[in-house]
Amino acid sequence: MSMKCRFCENETNKFISFGKMPIANAFLYEKQFKDEYFFELAPTYCPNCSLFQLFYQPNPKLLFHENYAFFANTSNYMQKHFKDLSDSLIKNFNLTKQDLIIEIGNNDGGMVRYLNDLKYNCIGVDPSKNVSDYAKDLGVNMINKFFNFELSNEILDKYGKVKCFLSANTLAHIPDINSVFKGVKNLLDDDGIYVTEDPYLIDVFNKVSYDQVYDEHVFIFSLTSISNICKKYDLEVFDIEKLNTAGGSLRYYISKKNKKNKSERVIKQEMIEKEYKLYDYKVYEAFKVNCENSKKNLFDNLSKLSENSKIVSYGATSKTTTIFNYCNINRDLINFITDTTPTKQNKFSPGMHIPIFDYEHFNKNLPDYCFLGAWNHSNEIFLKESDNFSKKGKWITHTPDFKIFSK
Ligand code: TMP
């Protein structure tokens, strides 16, 4: 069975199935188990535009709503990352306080939170009401809607052109990618920029981080696929930055066509991607084999360890939903999950129903092993645990290879 690429409408085929999957961020109470929603999680890639995407995606209204579980402010490192980017934009792109800045999907604050504190002219756009209200309470001018072409017309009428668009870990979530870029083109000032970052496909392949694939990540981008999308809307990528955030990301600096010089970094990355052959089925087949080996390795090792030891997952992440469901890891293998997000605590993980407790519970019940569910925040976690869990316990990671280690 095939589907049409969400961007270019070319026929694409799924090359791996991760099986029956619940909504990644739908942490639930026991009474909700019987009504839990499942779908088949299977990615595909478009041989025409190299866009890696989900075969099926549940309706976005099931994912982004008034009880959205993900609050970005749970990571101090990510807060610093967003503040650093907002500082560098002011320094490098001569933004004035009159210029309109819009962040698409700014969650509970984002970058506009910091720019707004400095009295820049900012708007945040986010469809999830609870996180949007949180940002509003911080003083950010919020539009609680999905960003699309229709909304871009409303913004144009009310506020005029946009000097700087921002988004971080947002584009990957929006199935109607054409409508977003049509909206950006509609609103972007002639010398405006769009700075956006998302998990990077080659990092996913190199780290075998198949857990980046879940309902919200309808796309995993590369420079090639983002450039193809830009081209259709008379935009182009003039610079990039490689980032360690979100498990390995690429930040794209986009302008209208022929407005900026293409940097050496873009030219080099284009070469790297060409050599990687992102259009070739063999690349995807190799990823599939790596995922299947990783699954077997993790399940076998956790099964063995759990016979005599207590294992806890550090972080109830959207990624752990894919890992635990794909690898059949239930509470026989993982005793509980600890997470600092209040809206996840005292609930159960989607699908596998592993209980989630707060940090105090973790401290009172230190396990022998911690599985790095929030592996993309490892450095922050190791720092926090250096005088606590790390003194006696061992860490487990599944990426890029299964490893047990002390810190
Ligand atoms: P993310 O991988 O989608 O960013 O989610 C990270 C999750 O990990 C989030 O639910 C908060 C949790 N977390 C902790 O519980 N403790 C920590 O020290 C950190 C950094 C994250």
Side-chain angles (χ1 to χ4, degrees), residues 305-306 308-312 333 335-336 365-370:
L305 286 175
S306 64
N308 304 308
S309 313
K310 240 168 70 177
I311 310 171
V312 162
L333 308 189
N335 292 60
F336 66 90
N365 298 277
L366 288 181
D368 306 296
Y369 296 92
C370 268

Side-chain angles (χ1 to χ4, degrees), residues 70 74 314 316-317 319 339-341 344 374 376-377 381 384:
F70 179 72
T74 49
Y314 204 105
T317 65
K319 297 177 196 56
D339 198 288
T340 50
T341 315
K344 296 180 183 177
N376 46 312
H377 300 283
I381 291 169
K384 193 161 141 193

Side-chain angles (χ1 to χ4, degrees), residues 311-317 320 324 334 336-340 359 362-363 366-367 369-378 380-385 388-389 395-396:
I311 310 171
V312 162
S313 169
Y314 204 105
T317 65
T320 50
F324 296 160
I334 298 270
F336 66 90
I337 307 175
T338 181
D339 198 288
T340 50
Y359 193 65
F362 172 72
N363 263 332
L366 288 181
Y369 296 92
C370 268
F371 174 69
L372 272 169
W375 61 271
N376 46 312
H377 300 283
S378 304
E380 187 170 348
I381 291 169
F382 294 150
L383 210 64
K384 193 161 141 193
E385 294 304 327
N388 192 39
F389 172 75
W395 295 94
I396 300 172

Side-chain angles (χ1 to χ4, degrees), residues 199-209 220-224 242 248 269 272-278 283:
Y200 182 43
L201 187 59
I202 291 187
D203 278 317
V204 170
F205 287 159
N206 289 345
K207 294 177 186 174
V208 199
S209 51
I220 299 180
F221 297 111
S222 58
L223 174 59
T224 309
K242 290 204 79 189
Q269 205 63 29
I272 290 172
E273 291 195 3
K274 231 176 230 155
E275 279 166 24
Y276 213 99
K277 298 195 171 106
L278 286 175
V283 173

Side-chain angles (χ1 to χ4, degrees), residues 139-156:
V140 181
N141 183 7
M142 290 297 300
I143 301 177
N144 179 211
K145 286 187 177 171
F146 285 96
F147 182 84
N148 52 26
F149 181 61
E150 193 188 336
L151 183 65
S152 80
N153 278 326
E154 287 175 35
I155 294 174
L156 192 62

